[in-house]
Amino acid sequence: MSKSESSSSHGRLIAVVVAAALVIVLALLSAFIWPGWALNKTSVSAASPKSTEAPTTPSIKAKPLPGDASQLLKAMPDSVLNFARTEAVPSASWTGASPIEEYTLTYSTGNVAQDIRVIVAQWSGTDGAKGQYDALAAAMTGQELGTGSVKVSGNVTGSYSVKADPANAKNAVALWQNDTVVFQAVGPKDSVERFYQKFPL
């Protein structure tokens, strides 16, 4: 082999080595700097949803019901998701519709700004409850957030309607009838939308 051929082979070898080195450097840059596919990002992305998930158990205790509580009042849950019942008092908001009994309950997370107020009343028959539900539903004028039928064991026992509160854009009103009982929940929109869906009655 002549000197010129040897020099040419040596030059090609250097060029191959330099090219290989560049490929390795670029691969490392791609893997660990941009876009960083080799970095372990699983723990960060897996942890993110947990931090935004709303709690499902209350951090405060429910207030005991009075000893002479009616069967309707006793049927009201101590807690719904992270809301605990902190008040249950007789009320007269729907007296004009002649319910047998009526109460106003407060469900709270401990943060008063997130409180949900629930009015519950019972009638002697389904017609009375449906009449009150229909009247209240017709008076709801906010943006519709949900509507449908209430079902128990596959049977339709009433209806529900959820709308934004026109008096306060941050709030919502959930109204539902289940057989002889009518419920109305008012509070922060996000809380109400979670709350009414998990209310057991």
Side-chain angles (χ1 to χ4, degrees), residues 40-175:
N40 183 7
K41 296 182 179 179
T42 305
S43 59
V44 176
S45 60
S48 296
K50 290 183 180 178
S51 63
T52 59
E53 284 181 3
T56 56
T57 54
S59 57
I60 60 174
K61 290 184 177 180
K63 182 178 178 181
L65 292 172
D68 60 349
S70 68
Q71 291 302 311
L72 175 63
L73 197 52
K74 287 178 181 178
M76 296 303 103
D78 289 345
S79 64
V80 179
L81 296 173
N82 56 320
F83 295 88
R85 188 191 61 242
T86 56
E87 187 178 43
V89 296
S91 61
S93 299
W94 300 339
T95 301
S98 304
I100 296 172
E101 52 185 318
E102 177 187 337
Y103 303 94
T104 296
L105 302 93
T106 300
Y107 284 86
S108 179
T109 62
N111 178 359
V112 177
Q114 295 297 313
D115 282 3
I116 295 176
R117 186 187 59 136
V118 178
I119 299 176
V120 55
Q122 186 168 30
W123 281 259
S124 57
T126 304
D127 289 346
K130 187 177 186 308
Q132 176 64 357
Y133 171 84
D134 289 344
L136 292 171
M140 294 169 69
T141 59
Q143 176 190 0
E144 187 175 287
L145 302 174
T147 185
S149 299
V150 173
K151 294 182 179 181
V152 176
S153 301
N155 298 315
V156 176
T157 58
S159 304
Y160 73 89
S161 178
V162 187
K163 291 189 177 182
D165 186 347
N168 185 340
K170 295 180 179 179
N171 284 359
V173 180
L175 176 71

